[in-house]
Amino acid sequence: MWTQVATQQKTNLDVIGDDFPPIPYSWYAVAFESELRPGTVLTRNFVDSEIVVFRGDSGRIAAVGPYCPHLGAHLGKRSRVVGDCIECPFHEFRFDTTGRCVDTPYDAPAPNLELNMLPVRNVLGMVMVYYGPADEPPAFELDLPDSDPDWHRIQTNRLHFRAHPQDVNENGLDYGHFQTVHKFTDFTIGEPMRIEGPRIHTAYGGTRPLPLVHGVRFDFTSVLIGLGFSLVEIAIQGGWTVRQMVLPTPVGPRETDIYIGISARRRAKSRLGRLLMAPIEKIMARIVLAVVSYEVQRDQVIWDEKTYLEHPKLTRSDGPIGKYRSWARQFYRAAG
């Protein structure tokens, strides 16, 4: 599918790889909701350019191209939010969260100008933006709530790796590496990979040795939506349940920001019980965030140096990587 690296004269020292896939059409994280309080303007690297994300006083979030269509000023530099509008720092033209120019400091009516808008969603504490063909609606929706009262506010981290979103998500279906890289034992598959359009459902688990204890059992139930959003519920031995999001966002050629969000489920039902348990549950989420960040960085040392093989020589023990890659092709329609 992808253009292969030009064939060179082979020697016994050559390792021939293939071009990485282009950027897939998908939803990608660009911020944590906690970073984007009303009145905030953020500039983010996104795919091969920049975008500007702002939040109006009403709480509405917009993601736009970085330059004002009037005379080209960068909207992420020295701009401000006024009501539900972003105000250009150059001539103070104001654009609302639909992208329309609605006000200027001049006596004439606002000109017919519009910002380059990107679809944006706020789900479970993550601000997600869709990358896809211009002038087409998103090919699929995330269909997740803005928040979930049964879970605490997410604990967050953001890392930067040399990786591709397809590779990052493939890790969750590379069952062999859970034992070799992450040292799980007693690995079991609770549910074979199940495909539903742009979603993949899986369930698996294993025992992870930890300091001072022989091992702790972790059971994972996950859904991958496109190539930019994965939601994993982890049942931890001892009765704890946490929610994990590890979301890769392409920010350049084989450059990826990985947004990590961890939340603990509220265990108590009564108001008093919730008040008493909340500090402990938040501490548990911080511990899991530190563990997940550490484990993702163990993958990083592989991602930073590996090449991409379009046709890998898979074994039965690798997991459903081949099926995953066939599924992933839907997100490259006319891409690149």
Side-chain angles (χ1 to χ4, degrees):
M1 184 176 179
W2 327 124
T3 303
Q4 289 191 336
V5 171
T7 303
Q8 301 174 354
Q9 184 177 1
K10 295 183 180 180
T11 74
N12 61 351
L13 297 179
D14 282 334
V15 177
I16 302 299
D18 301 316
D19 282 348
F20 272 79
I23 302 300
Y25 295 155
S26 204
W27 292 95
Y28 296 109
V30 295
F32 302 110
E33 185 187 11
S34 59
E35 298 179 279
L36 206 63
R37 300 181 185 279
T40 303
V41 179
L42 296 176
T43 301
R44 287 287 191 259
N45 293 327
F46 186 71
V47 187
D48 57 357
S49 184
E50 289 181 322
I51 61 171
V52 173
V53 187
F54 71 95
R55 191 170 199 172
D57 289 346
S58 70
R60 288 196 62 184
I61 298 173
V64 302
Y67 299 108
C68 178
H70 176 216
L71 280 171
H74 197 299
L75 293 172
K77 313 294 183 182
R78 295 173 294 281
S79 63
R80 65 179 183 138
V81 173
V82 180
D84 268 359
C85 298
I86 188 169
E87 183 181 271
C88 175
F90 197 3
H91 296 90
E92 298 182 352
F93 282 27
R94 292 179 183 175
F95 299 84
D96 66 15
T97 53
T98 70
R100 294 183 304 111
C101 181
V102 296
D103 193 24
T104 78
Y106 305 146
D107 293 334
N112 185 23
L113 296 176
E114 291 189 353
L115 299 179
N116 178 21
M117 305 293 295
L118 292 87
V120 61
R121 304 287 185 269
N122 178 17
V123 296
L124 301 177
M126 310 299 305
V127 179
M128 308 293 297
V129 168
Y130 186 77
Y131 168 71
D135 303 321
E136 288 188 20
F140 62 96
E141 285 291 341
L142 294 169
D143 293 327
L144 294 166
D146 290 354
S147 60
D148 189 335
D150 288 337
W151 298 82
H152 287 282
R153 184 175 178 176
I154 59 173
Q155 308 287 329
T156 64
N157 194 8
R158 180 158 61 106
L159 305 171
H160 181 81
F161 292 161
R162 187 171 181 263
H164 185 280
Q166 181 173 307
D167 263 3
V168 174
N169 290 303
E170 189 171 288
N171 252 29
L173 295 158
D174 180 355
Y175 297 150
H177 102 289
F178 282 100
Q179 300 168 78
T180 58
V181 175
H182 302 292
K183 307 306 179 185
F184 276 86
T185 60
D186 304 322
F187 190 85
T188 57
I189 299 171
E191 177 187 349
M193 186 181 84
R194 176 167 52 89
I195 293 175
E196 291 181 346
R199 291 167 175 75
I200 284 181
H201 299 267
T202 55
Y204 49 85
T207 300
R208 176 69 165 82
L210 294 174
L212 306 179
V213 295
H214 176 68
V216 175
R217 176 77 186 184
F218 295 82
D219 287 290
F220 305 85
T221 303
S222 74
V223 58
L224 173 62
I225 310 175
L227 289 178
F229 191 94
S230 67
L231 179 63
V232 184
E233 290 192 11
I234 310 173
I236 304 173
Q237 183 178 336
W240 295 94
T241 306
V242 298
R243 173 179 280 167
Q244 165 191 299
M245 291 174 281
V246 178
L247 313 183
T249 297
V251 296
R254 207 186 166 188
E255 296 293 326
T256 298
D257 284 345
I258 296 185
Y259 291 78
I260 302 175
I262 301 291
S263 177
R265 184 187 289 276
R266 301 181 192 272
R267 291 163 38 128
K269 299 300 182 183
S270 68
R271 183 176 180 183
L272 177 60
R274 288 194 170 198
L275 287 173
L276 293 174
M277 287 297 299
I280 300 172
E281 290 163 347
K282 291 176 181 178
I283 290 171
M284 171 60 72
R286 291 193 187 102
I287 292 171
V288 174
L289 176 64
V291 171
V292 170
S293 298
Y294 171 74
E295 295 296 338
V296 171
Q297 288 170 315
R298 296 182 74 176
D299 292 311
Q300 178 187 9
V301 299
I302 306 297
W303 293 334
D304 280 351
E305 304 296 339
K306 74 186 292 292
T307 191
Y308 176 74
L309 299 177
E310 187 174 345
H311 302 289
K313 309 301 183 185
L314 297 173
T315 73
R316 185 174 298 176
S317 299
D318 287 316
I321 293 174
K323 291 182 180 179
Y324 161 78
R325 290 194 177 189
S326 295
W327 167 85
R329 290 180 183 273
Q330 68 184 288
F331 307 109
Y332 295 101
R333 178 181 60 86

